[in-house]
Amino acid sequence: MSQSAFTPAKDRKYHDVEGAAYILPADQEEASSDIPVPRLNAQYLLLKEVFNGTFLYAPMNVSENDCVLDNGTGTGIWVADIRAVVPPTVSIYGIDLQTRLAPPNPPPNTHFLQGSFLDLPADWTGKFALVNQRLMVAALTHDNWKKAISEIYRVLKPGGYVQILEAAGGIFAPEGETDERIEMYNSITALMRARRGIGREPYMQISGLLEAQGFRGIVMEERRVPLGNGHERIGEGMLQNYKGLYQGYKAPVLEAGGLGLVTSEVEYDELVEGLVARCNERQGVETRWFTFYAQKP
């Protein structure tokens, strides 16, 4: 993906919902049809491949007349995948703070709703056979995580499943080694999340939160994905995804005065290009991804 695929910081659109902690943009640059594979969809497709081509981690079959919910639906790409493999009588809902990225005019069994999955409709109690949620690492505080899992539990019917996909909060140097430049990039993420009350490694808490809420049969799987053009298509694609992610951080970083790391947009752009160069020149730099699923008794 070329550098020109992303607009300058001043042109990006972010969530304007009061109280939302989400750091990254929620605009057409994340999902634009003018880009062959926009960042959010490219990321989704890469991760589907990383997890053996699947988007349904829970050991279940969605049956006729079931209801399915996608929290933080974004571009609706997961909704499109699940819709293709379930009976047309299944009702599929996607909810997000903004619906501008969701496809217009969905099929009759698909519903995209604007709202917070921290406060789902009261009449959804016991409604869903499956709730999917992914990549809220840059969006939820610890209290938000507790509330989100509580709401998921409430809206699931007995025997229903939740599945969650999450990322570790940073980039990892080779095992047992340190890399000051990699840590500098991690500091951008950590400082931005700290400013909004977002923990750096929420994936470490998810299993415990699920258990405390009452879920059973909790399973976690981890995948490690290298970054850089020395790791074939997935490594190169994931590095481009992280380049786009850091470009999305640019406006919040500059609005925060550069966090002591940069003083201008040009400096920030150079920093992002430095990330690409570093990962291409050093083998073993990686990202870590986790899936969870659990069942409501």
Side-chain angles (χ1 to χ4, degrees):
M1 191 178 295
S2 68
Q3 184 178 5
S4 62
F6 299 93
T7 58
K10 63 179 179 296
D11 294 329
R12 303 303 301 267
K13 291 184 175 64
Y14 294 78
H15 280 304
D16 54 6
V17 178
E18 185 176 354
Y22 190 67
I23 301 170
L24 292 168
D27 59 12
Q28 289 302 319
E29 294 300 323
E30 291 282 87
S32 175
S33 59
D34 295 333
I35 300 170
V37 184
R39 189 188 76 82
L40 289 177
N41 287 358
Q43 174 181 260
Y44 175 85
L45 294 171
L46 280 170
L47 289 171
K48 189 164 73 168
E49 189 169 348
V50 165
F51 284 95
N52 303 321
T54 188
F55 55 89
L56 183 61
Y57 318 118
M60 65 171 299
N61 293 313
V62 179
S63 302
E64 290 187 8
N65 302 316
D66 275 343
C67 294
V68 172
L69 174 63
D70 186 27
N71 276 349
T73 193
T75 66
I77 190 170
W78 184 89
V79 167
D81 263 353
I82 196 72
R83 185 173 59 229
V85 299
V86 301
T89 52
V90 171
S91 295
I92 306 170
Y93 295 78
I95 190 167
D96 209 313
L97 290 175
Q98 301 284 357
T99 56
R100 55 178 169 249
L101 303 186
N105 305 313
N109 70 332
T110 303
H111 316 275
F112 291 111
L113 306 176
Q114 183 170 344
S116 171
F117 58 72
L118 302 180
D119 187 22
L120 296 170
D123 61 357
W124 281 8
T125 298
K127 181 180 181 73
F128 295 97
L130 172 67
V131 177
N132 178 72
Q133 183 176 298
R134 66 190 186 280
L135 299 181
M136 293 293 122
V137 66
L140 300 182
T141 67
H142 179 71
D143 286 344
N144 288 160
W145 271 104
K146 292 172 65 176
K147 179 62 172 171
I149 289 174
S150 172
E151 282 291 88
I152 291 170
Y153 192 89
R154 178 178 68 82
V155 302
L156 279 172
K157 66 182 185 179
Y161 279 88
V162 58
Q163 62 174 36
I164 296 171
L165 169 63
E166 273 306 333
I171 301 168
F172 295 83
E175 200 78 47
E177 300 182 24
T178 58
D179 187 312
E180 290 183 359
R181 279 189 279 179
I182 294 298
E183 286 307 309
M184 180 177 64
Y185 296 110
N186 287 340
S187 69
I188 293 174
T189 304
L191 288 168
M192 285 307 305
R193 289 174 180 161
R195 287 176 64 88
R196 302 196 183 196
I198 300 171
R200 179 172 176 177
E201 303 293 8
Y203 78 90
M204 293 182 176
Q205 307 166 30
I206 291 173
S207 291
L209 291 172
L210 291 169
E211 183 177 10
Q213 187 59 51
F215 283 99
R216 297 293 179 262
I218 301 163
V219 174
M220 181 191 82
E221 291 190 18
E222 177 184 357
R223 297 287 190 276
R224 298 188 177 192
V225 181
L227 294 175
N229 57 18
H231 299 283
E232 300 182 343
R233 184 177 55 79
I234 288 182
E236 185 171 2
M238 191 61 76
L239 178 56
Q240 290 303 315
N241 173 63
Y242 267 74
K243 176 182 177 181
L245 182 149
Y246 277 98
Q247 287 172 322
Y249 281 152
K250 178 163 61 174
V253 169
L254 295 178
E255 288 168 5
L259 302 175
L261 300 171
V262 296
T263 59
S264 69
E265 188 169 331
V266 170
E267 273 189 54
Y268 189 89
D269 290 339
E270 291 173 350
L271 195 68
V272 173
E273 291 301 327
L275 170 65
V276 174
R278 185 58 170 166
C279 292
N280 282 334
E281 75 187 16
R282 182 167 191 187
Q283 298 297 305
V285 180
E286 66 182 20
T287 59
R288 298 176 186 174
W289 306 84
F290 304 85
T291 59
F292 304 81
Y293 65 79
Q295 187 175 29
K296 178 177 177 177

